[in-house]
Amino acid sequence: MARPGAPGLLLCVALVAAVAPRGTWCGSCPPRCVCASNILSCSQAVLSAVPAPLPRFTAVLDLSHNNVTRLRADWAPGRLAHLHALLLSHNGLSFVSTEAFTHVPHLRHLDLSSNRLRALEENLFSDLTELEVLLLYNNEISTVDRTAFENLNRLRKLYLGQNRISRFPLELLRDGSRLPQLALLDLSANRLRHVPVGELQALPAWLRDRLYLHGNPLACDCALFQLMARGRRRRLSAVVDFQEELRCALPSAPAPVGILALAGRAPLNCSEAREAVLEAHLGDTVTLSCDTRVRGARSRHWVTPGGERVLQEGGNGSAALLGNGSLQLRALRAEDAGTYACWVAGPLLNETLYVELLVHNFTLHGPHDTLNTAYTTLVGCILSVVLVLIYLYLTPCRCCCCRGADKAPPPRDDSINSSVLSATPNHAVGAAGEPGRSRSASGASVGQNGRFKAGGTPQVPPRHGPRAQRKVSDPDSVSSVFSDTPIVV
């Protein structure tokens, strides 16, 4: 005997199985988790390990605020091809296997913040080739391996703030081969004491302008001051929004001082850098002027966008230091574009001047050649239109017209050259009793447009009455249709 409600329960199971994604079954959501479509939320579920089994259609997995302290290679028993966001913050996580992300190749967002990670090991994230955002802030990271971010060609944002990093390998970012899409780097609240300004200048502009360094125990120097002053002039968020936290240590000061307050302050006497913009074209020779206001400058040298120093007068290659401190660049290339810095050391004041060089990707005569090509194309189009109009409206006469032109025209009073719409009679009146008799012969005659008609216009028998004088029109006459002569009835 069936229990009451059994048919309804079976119907419910059938319906759920019909609408559920492929590979799922009733009860596929792990215990203590909430499943909503392809989102699996297990936050604050007092979990010590990743729940299993995980639905294969999971796209977002939230495991934050739990006690998952180790992320082993087998945390995901199968391949999660649809997973693009993994949240593991606030777990006390202290170990992540280098093979932990083998089963999630399409991950784009990874949150490992607020844990206890101490080091970024070799090739830790090399399997995440599609990763775009990586959050590692508020950990205990002190060392970063040079290969930790290998193969992250799509990474756009990297957050490493509030850690214990004393040195970050900025040289990994300089050549652009690693992390080519990186547009934000947060190194705030770490233990950085010295920042290689030369390497920072060599970074791409979109990354240099979104580099966060506040909250570090930096050592004061004029290069650091000018870097921050330049960011303040450009209203960069990394400088303007964190001015109070941009501090550095002076040997003679008992407490850190504001980096932007170093202007004219002893013992550094830093001055704000001035910046100029120069435009040039491929193959040009330009001279970058180091127009300093420092009197009695003891030394000058230039730093190229690639971080290379030009110290000696004359120089080698395409860059040469002139006697007056200017930098001459010969045979410009596209890669010569960027920010050049002139460092001037004086007896009382140091100064840095920046020159932004823009190299247009065409030669000096490029625009004129383009204009000439466009003008030639326009003239050709106009000429083609004129030729078409001449062909349509000024077509020469046909051969039949030319052959019939040397023949004597027929009498003007012949009915073949007359119009039925003409007011003047085209037929002469014969003898009495013979109205409408044509004087033309009954033999062959020449018709309009040079065509021959065997018998001329046929004779019409005389008629009596008011309509007796009506003329017979030539059916081949064209002028009779378009004649402007008024019709006579």
Side-chain angles (χ1 to χ4, degrees):
M1 179 176 179
R3 292 183 302 173
L9 179 61
L10 293 177
L11 179 61
C12 176
V13 172
L15 289 175
V16 172
V19 300
R22 181 175 297 179
T24 65
W25 55 282
C26 292
S28 62
C29 190
R32 306 181 190 177
C33 299
V34 178
C35 297
S37 182
N38 56 359
I39 299 176
L40 180 60
S41 176
C42 302
S43 179
Q44 298 181 357
V46 197
L47 298 175
S48 58
V50 179
L54 292 175
R56 295 186 181 275
F57 59 86
T58 303
V60 178
L61 178 57
D62 184 3
L63 295 170
S64 61
H65 296 275
N66 282 290
N67 297 317
V68 182
T69 59
R70 302 178 69 85
L71 192 65
R72 302 181 182 275
D74 58 350
W75 70 271
R79 183 182 178 89
L80 299 177
H82 301 283
L83 188 67
H84 62 77
L86 177 59
L87 311 179
L88 281 165
S89 61
H90 298 277
N91 268 281
L93 193 65
S94 60
F95 171 78
V96 177
S97 172
T98 55
E99 299 178 357
F101 306 109
T102 305
H103 302 297
V104 288
H106 303 298
L107 203 64
R108 299 196 302 268
H109 184 102
L110 177 59
D111 186 358
L112 297 175
S113 62
S114 300
N115 284 295
R116 295 179 181 176
L117 298 175
R118 295 185 177 182
L120 300 181
E121 302 292 343
E122 179 181 0
N123 296 318
L124 181 58
F125 306 107
S126 59
D127 292 325
L128 301 177
T129 57
E130 299 182 12
L131 192 64
E132 298 179 1
V133 179
L134 178 57
L135 291 83
L136 292 165
Y137 63 86
N138 194 23
N139 275 278
E140 301 174 3
I141 301 173
S142 58
T143 59
V144 179
D145 191 86
R146 294 172 58 90
T147 62
F149 307 109
E150 198 77 21
N151 298 331
L152 299 185
N153 296 327
R154 297 188 182 181
L155 189 66
R156 297 184 296 105
K157 298 179 180 181
L158 176 57
Y159 296 88
L160 284 166
Q162 299 183 31
N163 279 285
R164 301 175 182 178
I165 301 173
S166 58
R167 184 188 179 277
F168 183 83
L170 290 173
E171 61 272 10
L172 300 179
L173 311 175
R174 183 172 57 189
D175 56 358
S177 60
R178 299 179 182 178
L179 305 178
Q181 301 296 326
L182 190 64
L184 185 149
L185 177 58
D186 181 12
L187 293 173
S188 62
N190 275 280
R191 297 181 179 180
L192 299 174
R193 295 185 179 274
H194 300 281
V195 177
V197 179
E199 294 182 6
L200 294 181
Q201 292 293 341
L203 296 179
W206 60 85
L207 175 58
R208 186 177 63 244
D209 293 346
R210 301 185 70 183
L211 176 63
Y212 293 82
L213 293 172
H214 59 276
N216 282 282
L218 299 169
C220 295
D221 59 40
C222 291
L224 179 62
F225 162 75
Q226 290 157 359
L227 178 68
M228 298 303 169
R230 181 171 177 263
R232 181 174 59 181
R233 288 198 308 271
R234 296 191 173 190
R235 308 297 299 173
L236 301 180
S237 174
V239 177
V240 175
D241 296 340
F242 300 95
Q243 292 190 48
E244 298 298 327
E245 300 179 50
L246 285 170
R247 309 183 73 82
C248 61
L250 279 173
S252 59
V257 298
I259 297 177
L260 295 174
L262 292 177
R265 179 168 181 170
L268 297 178
N269 295 322
C270 299
S271 63
E272 190 167 338
R274 292 183 293 167
E275 188 172 358
V277 179
L278 180 63
E279 297 186 19
H281 302 82
L282 290 177
D284 288 354
T285 298
V286 297
T287 301
L288 309 183
S289 176
C290 187
D291 187 16
T292 178
R293 60 182 178 179
V294 177
R295 294 184 180 181
R298 294 175 298 182
S299 63
R300 304 184 189 187
H301 70 272
W302 286 83
V303 179
T304 66
E308 300 178 0
R309 292 190 177 187
V310 183
L311 301 174
Q312 298 179 356
E313 185 175 343
N316 297 321
S318 60
L321 185 63
L322 304 181
N324 60 356
S326 300
L327 182 67
Q328 187 180 69
L329 302 175
R330 298 182 292 268
L332 284 179
R333 302 167 297 173
E335 52 267 28
D336 292 330
T339 302
Y340 291 78
C342 177
W343 301 79
V344 182
L348 299 176
L349 187 66
N350 299 325
E351 186 178 22
T352 303
L353 292 88
Y354 293 99
V355 179
E356 188 79 17
L357 178 61
L358 305 177
V359 180
H360 297 290
N361 197 18
F362 49 82
T363 59
L364 182 59
H365 302 289
H368 303 287
D369 296 338
T370 305
L371 180 61
N372 291 337
T373 303
Y375 178 75
T376 305
T377 305
L378 179 61
V379 171
C381 293
I382 295 177
L383 184 60
S384 301
V385 172
V386 172
L387 292 177
V388 170
L389 294 176
I390 292 176
Y391 176 78
L392 292 176
Y393 295 99
L394 297 178
T395 305
C397 63
R398 300 178 180 177
C399 297
C400 59
C401 299
C402 299
R403 287 195 301 266
D406 50 9
K407 292 189 178 184
R412 297 183 61 86
D413 56 354
D414 197 336
S415 63
I416 297 177
N417 297 317
S418 64
S419 175
V420 71
L421 303 178
S422 176
T424 305
N426 291 334
H427 297 78
V429 180
E434 297 180 352
R437 181 77 175 269
S438 175
R439 294 186 300 177
S440 60
S442 61
S445 62
V446 180
Q448 193 174 2
N449 297 330
R451 287 184 288 186
F452 292 90
K453 304 178 71 174
T457 304
Q459 296 290 337
V460 180
R463 298 175 59 183
H464 301 282
R467 300 179 180 268
Q469 299 298 326
R470 180 173 296 178
K471 306 299 184 296
V472 178
S473 65
D474 185 3
D476 294 326
S477 175
V478 179
S479 63
S480 63
V481 179
F482 300 97
S483 176
D484 294 331
T485 309
I487 299 176
V488 178
V489 181

